[in-house]
Short mmCIF file of all heavy atoms in Angstrom, two decimals:
data_model
loop_
_atom_site.label_atom_id
_atom_site.label_comp_id
_atom_site.label_asym_id
_atom_site.label_seq_id
_atom_site.Cartn_x
_atom_site.Cartn_y
_atom_site.Cartn_z
N GLU A 1 24.78 -70.11 13.02
CA GLU A 1 24.33 -68.89 12.33
C GLU A 1 22.91 -68.54 12.75
O GLU A 1 22.06 -69.42 12.88
CB GLU A 1 24.40 -69.09 10.82
CG GLU A 1 25.82 -69.17 10.30
CD GLU A 1 25.89 -69.22 8.78
OE1 GLU A 1 24.82 -69.36 8.13
OE2 GLU A 1 27.00 -69.12 8.26
N LEU A 2 22.67 -67.27 12.93
CA LEU A 2 21.36 -66.77 13.28
C LEU A 2 20.56 -66.37 12.04
O LEU A 2 19.33 -66.36 12.07
CB LEU A 2 21.48 -65.57 14.22
CG LEU A 2 22.22 -65.84 15.53
CD1 LEU A 2 22.43 -64.54 16.30
CD2 LEU A 2 21.47 -66.85 16.37
N PHE A 3 21.29 -66.03 10.97
CA PHE A 3 20.64 -65.55 9.75
C PHE A 3 21.20 -66.26 8.52
O PHE A 3 22.39 -66.56 8.47
CB PHE A 3 20.86 -64.04 9.59
CG PHE A 3 20.33 -63.23 10.74
CD1 PHE A 3 21.19 -62.75 11.71
CD2 PHE A 3 18.98 -62.98 10.86
CE1 PHE A 3 20.71 -62.02 12.79
CE2 PHE A 3 18.49 -62.26 11.93
CZ PHE A 3 19.35 -61.77 12.90
N ASP A 4 20.34 -66.48 7.55
CA ASP A 4 20.76 -66.98 6.24
C ASP A 4 21.02 -65.76 5.38
O ASP A 4 20.08 -65.10 4.91
CB ASP A 4 19.68 -67.87 5.63
CG ASP A 4 20.10 -68.46 4.29
OD1 ASP A 4 21.14 -68.05 3.74
OD2 ASP A 4 19.37 -69.34 3.79
N ARG A 5 22.28 -65.43 5.21
CA ARG A 5 22.67 -64.22 4.48
C ARG A 5 22.60 -64.40 2.96
O ARG A 5 22.74 -63.44 2.22
CB ARG A 5 24.09 -63.81 4.88
CG ARG A 5 24.18 -63.36 6.33
CD ARG A 5 25.64 -63.31 6.77
NE ARG A 5 25.82 -62.76 8.09
CZ ARG A 5 25.64 -63.41 9.23
NH1 ARG A 5 25.23 -64.67 9.20
NH2 ARG A 5 25.85 -62.83 10.39
N LYS A 6 22.42 -65.63 2.50
CA LYS A 6 22.37 -65.89 1.06
C LYS A 6 21.06 -65.43 0.45
O LYS A 6 20.96 -65.25 -0.75
CB LYS A 6 22.57 -67.38 0.79
CG LYS A 6 23.91 -67.91 1.24
CD LYS A 6 23.99 -69.41 1.06
CE LYS A 6 25.17 -69.95 1.83
NZ LYS A 6 24.80 -70.99 2.77
N LYS A 7 20.05 -65.26 1.28
CA LYS A 7 18.73 -64.87 0.80
C LYS A 7 18.52 -63.37 0.97
O LYS A 7 19.06 -62.76 1.88
CB LYS A 7 17.65 -65.66 1.52
CG LYS A 7 17.81 -67.15 1.30
CD LYS A 7 16.66 -67.92 1.83
CE LYS A 7 16.91 -69.40 1.51
NZ LYS A 7 15.84 -70.25 1.89
N ASN A 8 17.74 -62.82 0.07
CA ASN A 8 17.41 -61.41 0.16
C ASN A 8 15.90 -61.28 0.01
O ASN A 8 15.37 -61.65 -1.03
CB ASN A 8 18.13 -60.62 -0.93
CG ASN A 8 18.07 -59.14 -0.69
OD1 ASN A 8 17.60 -58.69 0.34
ND2 ASN A 8 18.54 -58.38 -1.66
N PRO A 9 15.18 -60.84 1.01
CA PRO A 9 15.69 -60.30 2.27
C PRO A 9 16.29 -61.39 3.15
O PRO A 9 16.05 -62.57 2.95
CB PRO A 9 14.44 -59.69 2.92
CG PRO A 9 13.29 -60.43 2.33
CD PRO A 9 13.72 -60.83 0.95
N VAL A 10 17.06 -60.93 4.14
CA VAL A 10 17.73 -61.83 5.07
C VAL A 10 16.68 -62.68 5.79
O VAL A 10 15.64 -62.17 6.20
CB VAL A 10 18.55 -61.02 6.10
CG1 VAL A 10 19.13 -61.90 7.18
CG2 VAL A 10 19.66 -60.26 5.39
N VAL A 11 16.97 -63.97 5.93
CA VAL A 11 16.04 -64.89 6.58
C VAL A 11 16.67 -65.38 7.89
O VAL A 11 17.84 -65.74 7.92
CB VAL A 11 15.74 -66.10 5.65
CG1 VAL A 11 14.86 -67.11 6.36
CG2 VAL A 11 15.11 -65.63 4.35
N THR A 12 15.87 -65.39 8.93
CA THR A 12 16.31 -65.89 10.23
C THR A 12 16.29 -67.42 10.20
O THR A 12 15.33 -68.01 9.73
CB THR A 12 15.38 -65.37 11.34
OG1 THR A 12 15.30 -63.95 11.25
CG2 THR A 12 15.89 -65.75 12.71
N THR A 13 17.35 -68.03 10.70
CA THR A 13 17.38 -69.50 10.78
C THR A 13 16.42 -69.95 11.88
O THR A 13 15.97 -69.15 12.71
CB THR A 13 18.79 -70.01 11.10
OG1 THR A 13 19.19 -69.53 12.39
CG2 THR A 13 19.80 -69.59 10.04
N LYS A 14 16.13 -71.24 11.90
CA LYS A 14 15.21 -71.77 12.91
C LYS A 14 15.74 -71.52 14.31
O LYS A 14 15.02 -71.02 15.18
CB LYS A 14 14.99 -73.27 12.67
CG LYS A 14 13.98 -73.87 13.60
CD LYS A 14 13.73 -75.33 13.28
CE LYS A 14 12.72 -75.92 14.25
NZ LYS A 14 12.46 -77.33 13.99
N ILE A 15 16.99 -71.85 14.53
CA ILE A 15 17.57 -71.63 15.87
C ILE A 15 17.75 -70.13 16.13
O ILE A 15 17.61 -69.67 17.25
CB ILE A 15 18.89 -72.40 16.07
CG1 ILE A 15 19.25 -72.43 17.55
CG2 ILE A 15 20.01 -71.83 15.24
CD1 ILE A 15 20.07 -73.60 17.96
N GLY A 16 18.00 -69.36 15.08
CA GLY A 16 18.09 -67.91 15.21
C GLY A 16 16.79 -67.32 15.72
O GLY A 16 16.79 -66.41 16.56
N ALA A 17 15.66 -67.84 15.23
CA ALA A 17 14.35 -67.36 15.68
C ALA A 17 14.16 -67.61 17.17
O ALA A 17 13.61 -66.76 17.88
CB ALA A 17 13.25 -68.03 14.87
N GLU A 18 14.63 -68.75 17.64
CA GLU A 18 14.52 -69.07 19.07
C GLU A 18 15.38 -68.12 19.90
O GLU A 18 14.97 -67.64 20.96
CB GLU A 18 14.93 -70.51 19.32
CG GLU A 18 13.98 -71.53 18.72
CD GLU A 18 14.44 -72.96 18.91
OE1 GLU A 18 15.04 -73.25 19.97
OE2 GLU A 18 14.21 -73.77 18.00
N ILE A 19 16.59 -67.87 19.41
CA ILE A 19 17.50 -66.96 20.12
C ILE A 19 16.93 -65.54 20.14
O ILE A 19 16.96 -64.85 21.17
CB ILE A 19 18.90 -66.97 19.47
CG1 ILE A 19 19.55 -68.35 19.59
CG2 ILE A 19 19.80 -65.87 20.06
CD1 ILE A 19 19.83 -68.80 21.01
N ILE A 20 16.39 -65.10 19.02
CA ILE A 20 15.84 -63.74 18.94
C ILE A 20 14.62 -63.60 19.85
O ILE A 20 14.43 -62.56 20.49
CB ILE A 20 15.53 -63.37 17.48
CG1 ILE A 20 16.85 -63.20 16.73
CG2 ILE A 20 14.68 -62.11 17.39
CD1 ILE A 20 16.73 -63.13 15.23
N LYS A 21 13.82 -64.64 19.94
CA LYS A 21 12.67 -64.61 20.86
C LYS A 21 13.16 -64.37 22.28
O LYS A 21 12.62 -63.54 23.01
CB LYS A 21 11.91 -65.93 20.76
CG LYS A 21 10.69 -66.00 21.63
CD LYS A 21 9.98 -67.33 21.45
CE LYS A 21 8.82 -67.47 22.41
NZ LYS A 21 8.14 -68.77 22.28
N GLN A 22 14.20 -65.08 22.68
CA GLN A 22 14.76 -64.91 24.02
C GLN A 22 15.43 -63.54 24.17
O GLN A 22 15.35 -62.91 25.23
CB GLN A 22 15.76 -66.02 24.34
CG GLN A 22 16.23 -66.04 25.77
CD GLN A 22 15.10 -66.26 26.76
OE1 GLN A 22 14.28 -67.15 26.60
NE2 GLN A 22 15.05 -65.45 27.80
N ALA A 23 16.07 -63.07 23.11
CA ALA A 23 16.72 -61.76 23.13
C ALA A 23 15.69 -60.66 23.37
O ALA A 23 15.94 -59.72 24.15
CB ALA A 23 17.46 -61.51 21.82
N LYS A 24 14.54 -60.78 22.74
CA LYS A 24 13.48 -59.78 22.94
C LYS A 24 13.03 -59.76 24.40
O LYS A 24 12.82 -58.69 24.97
CB LYS A 24 12.30 -60.08 22.02
CG LYS A 24 12.57 -59.76 20.57
CD LYS A 24 11.39 -60.15 19.70
CE LYS A 24 11.65 -59.85 18.24
NZ LYS A 24 10.52 -60.26 17.37
N LEU A 25 12.87 -60.94 24.99
CA LEU A 25 12.49 -61.01 26.41
C LEU A 25 13.56 -60.39 27.30
O LEU A 25 13.26 -59.65 28.22
CB LEU A 25 12.25 -62.47 26.82
CG LEU A 25 11.03 -63.16 26.22
CD1 LEU A 25 11.05 -64.65 26.56
CD2 LEU A 25 9.75 -62.51 26.71
N THR A 26 14.81 -60.70 27.00
CA THR A 26 15.92 -60.15 27.77
C THR A 26 15.96 -58.63 27.69
O THR A 26 16.14 -57.94 28.70
CB THR A 26 17.25 -60.75 27.28
OG1 THR A 26 17.20 -62.17 27.43
CG2 THR A 26 18.44 -60.19 28.04
N LEU A 27 15.77 -58.10 26.49
CA LEU A 27 15.80 -56.65 26.31
C LEU A 27 14.62 -55.98 27.01
O LEU A 27 14.76 -54.91 27.59
CB LEU A 27 15.82 -56.30 24.82
CG LEU A 27 17.12 -56.69 24.10
CD1 LEU A 27 16.96 -56.52 22.59
CD2 LEU A 27 18.30 -55.88 24.61
N THR A 28 13.46 -56.63 26.98
CA THR A 28 12.30 -56.10 27.69
C THR A 28 12.55 -56.05 29.18
O THR A 28 12.26 -55.05 29.85
CB THR A 28 11.04 -56.95 27.39
OG1 THR A 28 10.77 -56.89 25.99
CG2 THR A 28 9.83 -56.47 28.16
N GLU A 29 13.11 -57.12 29.72
CA GLU A 29 13.41 -57.16 31.16
C GLU A 29 14.48 -56.14 31.52
O GLU A 29 14.43 -55.54 32.59
CB GLU A 29 13.82 -58.58 31.58
CG GLU A 29 12.70 -59.59 31.50
CD GLU A 29 11.50 -59.23 32.37
OE1 GLU A 29 11.69 -58.86 33.55
OE2 GLU A 29 10.38 -59.32 31.85
N THR A 30 15.45 -55.96 30.63
CA THR A 30 16.50 -54.96 30.88
C THR A 30 15.89 -53.56 30.93
O THR A 30 16.25 -52.75 31.80
CB THR A 30 17.57 -55.04 29.78
OG1 THR A 30 18.12 -56.35 29.77
CG2 THR A 30 18.68 -54.02 30.03
#
């Protein structure tokens, strides 16, 4: 899971934060 949906506001999981960091780089390069 990338997000903890049980919390409001939605919280990014630890591994989700790592994936999102890489996703941002990928989108920037794209």
Side-chain angles (χ1 to χ4, degrees):
E1 290 186 351
L2 301 173
F3 301 102
D4 183 350
R5 293 165 174 80
K6 297 174 195 125
K7 299 188 178 184
N8 193 6
V10 173
V11 176
T12 306
T13 63
K14 184 176 179 181
I15 195 153
E18 293 176 35
I19 296 296
I20 290 167
K21 181 179 175 182
Q22 189 61 48
K24 287 177 181 178
L25 291 172
T26 300
L27 292 171
T28 298
E29 293 300 314
T30 301

